């Protein structure tokens, strides 16, 4: 790849840094929700919010990568082996959010 191709798009330092921060935010929000709502019958969580932000800002591939990374890191923290079906489902949430935003709402909110 040429240097100009690497500095643009998905491989830019801006996108990689933002993806890492959003992945960390998703893991932290999931962990906090687990400890705050541990005793209640209702489990409220906002762990998908960073995934949606990443998918809306950078597209479906980055949204899926954020969700997949957050799921894998959460499995490691919990001490469980990653379940591929759950990981693919989490990835699908990010991809779907990015695709819906790109094709449904992009025309309403031009840059």
């Amino acid at each position: 790849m040429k240097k100009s191709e690497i500095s643009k798009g998905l491989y830019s330092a801006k996108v990689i840094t933002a993806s890492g921060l959003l992945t960390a935010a998703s893991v932290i929000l999931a962990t906090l929700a687990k400890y705050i709502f541990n005793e209640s019958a209702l489990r409220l969580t906002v762990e998908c919010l960073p995934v949606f932000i990443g998918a809306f800002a950078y597209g479906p591939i980055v949204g899926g990568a954020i969700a997949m990374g957050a799921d894998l890191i959460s499995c490691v923290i919990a001490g469980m082996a990653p379940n591929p079906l759950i990981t693919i489902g989490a990835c699908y949430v990010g991809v779907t959010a990015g695709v819906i935003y790109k094709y449904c709402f992009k025309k309403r909110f031009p840059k």
Side-chain angles (χ1 to χ4, degrees):
M1 275 196 257
K2 297 179 184 177
K3 185 177 180 181
S4 62
E5 292 176 5
I6 293 173
S7 64
K8 294 179 182 177
L10 298 177
Y11 298 110
S12 69
K14 177 183 173 183
V15 174
I16 292 172
T17 304
S19 299
L21 290 173
L22 289 170
T23 301
S26 180
V27 170
I28 290 169
L29 288 173
T31 306
L32 284 176
K34 182 174 141 183
Y35 288 115
I36 291 173
F37 300 111
N38 191 18
E39 299 293 325
S40 70
L42 178 66
R43 181 172 181 248
L44 298 174
T45 181
V46 290
E47 65 184 288
C48 285
L49 188 62
V51 174
F52 293 151
I53 292 171
F56 295 162
Y58 300 112
I61 295 172
V62 175
I66 292 170
M68 183 179 288
D71 184 63
L72 292 174
I73 292 170
S74 295
C75 287
V76 169
I77 290 173
M80 298 185 307
N83 185 347
L85 293 176
I86 293 175
T87 303
I88 290 172
C91 182
Y92 186 69
V93 168
V95 170
T96 304
V99 168
I100 288 174
Y101 179 76
K102 183 176 181 180
Y103 291 113
C104 294
F105 298 109
K106 196 70 161 191
K107 295 175 185 174
R108 293 185 190 173
F109 305 113
K111 289 185 179 180

